[in-house]
Amino acid sequence: MASPQLSQFRRIVVKVGSALLVDSDKGELRASWLAALAADMAKLHREGRDVLVVSSGSIALGRSRLKLPRGPLKLEESQAAAAVGQIELARIWSEVLGAHGIGAGQILVTLQDTEERRRYLNARSTIGKLLEWRAIPVINENDTVATNEIRYGDNDRLAARVATMASADLLVLLSDIDGLYDAPPKHNPNAKLIPVVESISSEIEAVAGDAESELSRGGMRTKVEAAKIATTGGTHMLIASGKIEHPLQAIADGGRCTWFLTPANPITSRKRWIAGSLEPKGTITIDAGAVAALRAGASLLPAGVIKVEGQFARGDAVIVRGPDTSEVGRGLIAYDAEDAERIKGRSSPDVMTILGISGRSEMIHRDDLVVGG
């Protein structure tokens, strides 16, 4: 099967690991490499694409700044090193992207932020607003508060979660190897690159290995696990070498890499999850005008709501019914039941006056809504 082209994708998440960002021998930032990567991102950005970064490096940079000895760190030492390194990491990304006139926004997440719906929606909304403002979100696991029990353990899986959360259509994992091989290339000179993986079979999982770098918490095994998360969520993924300068341009020019393909797209996968996997906690009844607007692809605004039933929290799934009580669709509600009751039938500008806060203009955003036939 032919490989896709980088130019086909609208929203791209780029994962950068510690081993690429920091020279482990010198304990220094690989500044020229990062500047070249930022130039690649800026080119994509100028073409109108949304670009997000999932960046490791806070612990590695903290170790360097604090001049800590090599070797494993205790949990509290890693967290303290990350506290120092996160400031460095944010400054570095702000500077390299700012050189191209692009703003960078730092987002620190933990596992619960992508597993708990309320936090998930908050993180998703923040990412969406940064992209709307044409900034590049720079996302990292919050190593200062994560523990061994709840942390991702590597930023490959974090990147896959972020990609599906952001409805990205491509995840790029920059690695110290240029793709997935049918055998470990370091030990087998006849190993062949697998250019396209149409589905992740047991055979594909069997060829994955473990991490080989002290700075890296990942490895090919975690990359294949990330591919499972991404492709299930409707996001294509690729693994490519990050050891070269301008790695994204190399991909665009047809450089060596491994593509993991998804049969779906982020929006349809997300809507399948909303429609079939979540238990509705309440019901919203809307007027005929709102029904027509939803069927035309609009979001549900408070003005179209005539009745609110059930006890639900922001982020819960609810059933949407028309004035004849027939089910119109299902979606994730942006307000708690009490607030939804207070703002039903009111225009969006009234929401701030009624609630005393500047809430979301939509009761249910169209990306969080599945409309039936």
Side-chain angles (χ1 to χ4, degrees):
M1 185 174 182
S3 300
Q5 300 294 316
L6 194 63
S7 59
Q8 296 173 229
F9 298 96
R10 176 189 60 88
R11 181 169 290 180
I12 301 169
V13 176
V14 181
K15 184 262 180 177
V16 181
S18 297
L20 296 177
L21 198 66
V22 179
D23 185 321
S24 58
D25 294 328
K26 298 179 180 178
E28 296 176 355
L29 177 75
R30 297 177 64 210
S32 63
W33 176 86
L34 184 57
L37 174 62
D40 288 354
M41 292 178 177
K43 183 175 184 293
L44 294 172
H45 190 270
R46 286 194 301 272
E47 293 169 351
R49 305 182 200 288
D50 293 336
V51 181
L52 301 85
V53 178
V54 174
S55 176
S56 304
S58 60
I59 295 176
L61 289 169
R63 289 184 75 133
S64 174
R65 174 56 68 94
L66 295 167
K67 296 180 171 52
L68 300 179
R70 295 172 69 99
L73 297 175
K74 296 177 182 178
L75 175 61
E76 64 272 18
E77 292 172 336
S78 293
Q79 291 173 325
V84 174
Q86 278 171 355
I87 295 174
E88 282 287 293
L89 191 64
R91 179 188 62 79
I92 288 164
W93 279 109
S94 179
E95 287 182 356
V96 297
L97 293 172
H100 298 276
I102 302 171
Q106 184 187 43
I107 301 176
L108 299 175
V109 298
T110 62
L111 178 61
Q112 293 99 317
D113 295 323
T114 58
E115 298 295 337
E116 183 182 306
R117 277 202 300 280
R118 183 180 289 250
R119 293 185 182 183
Y120 171 98
L121 287 175
N122 282 335
R124 177 180 165 87
S125 295
T126 301
I127 289 170
K129 184 55 67 175
L130 285 170
L131 294 174
E132 181 185 323
W133 288 342
R134 300 302 291 152
I136 290 184
V138 179
I139 301 153
N140 194 5
E141 184 175 8
N142 193 351
D143 288 309
T144 58
V145 298
T147 69
N148 286 334
E149 290 74 26
I150 65 172
R151 70 183 307 137
Y152 287 91
D154 67 272
N155 275 8
D156 295 325
R157 285 188 288 257
L158 171 60
R161 294 287 189 191
V162 168
T164 57
M165 177 194 297
S167 296
D169 45 10
L170 177 64
L171 167 61
V172 177
L173 297 187
L174 296 179
S175 178
D176 55 2
I177 191 170
D178 55 8
L180 178 66
Y181 284 75
D182 60 4
K186 283 192 174 182
H187 308 297
N188 186 342
N190 297 317
K192 295 179 180 178
L193 179 76
I194 303 171
V196 178
V197 176
E198 295 187 46
S199 63
I200 301 173
S201 62
S202 56
E203 289 81 5
I204 291 296
E205 292 183 282
V207 302
D210 291 318
E212 297 188 15
S213 166
E214 178 186 332
L215 290 179
S216 174
R217 291 198 298 249
M220 195 55 68
R221 181 171 299 162
T222 63
K223 288 173 174 55
V224 171
E225 290 172 0
K228 282 201 265 186
I229 295 170
T231 56
T232 299
T235 301
H236 292 288
M237 192 188 95
L238 70 84
I239 301 170
S241 175
K243 286 188 168 181
I244 59 175
E245 290 206 348
H246 296 286
L248 298 180
Q249 186 59 50
I251 295 166
D253 292 339
R256 290 167 64 85
C257 62
T258 297
W259 289 87
F260 293 82
L261 306 184
T262 176
N265 66 61
I267 298 299
T268 57
S269 293
R270 175 177 170 77
K271 293 196 173 186
R272 191 180 304 120
W273 170 66
I274 293 171
S277 302
L278 300 178
E279 179 187 354
K281 301 293 186 182
T283 300
I284 302 294
T285 302
I286 62 177
D287 60 31
V291 172
L294 297 194
R295 296 201 186 282
S299 298
L300 176 61
L301 302 178
V305 178
I306 56 180
K307 189 176 183 182
V308 175
E309 299 174 277
Q311 292 299 316
F312 50 82
R314 177 174 178 262
D316 282 340
V318 296
I319 296 172
V320 179
R321 297 189 182 278
D324 60 355
T325 73
S326 62
E327 183 171 328
V328 176
R330 299 184 179 207
L332 303 184
I333 192 80
Y335 289 93
D336 296 343
E338 181 179 347
D339 287 341
E341 176 66 35
R342 292 171 66 192
I343 64 174
K344 71 180 183 184
R346 305 299 292 268
S347 64
S348 297
D350 291 339
V351 171
M352 184 173 180
T353 303
I354 296 168
L355 299 182
I357 58 170
S358 180
R360 287 162 174 78
S361 58
E362 307 91 358
M363 185 82 81
I364 303 177
H365 192 278
R366 65 182 182 182
D367 289 349
D368 298 327
L369 180 70
V370 182
V371 178

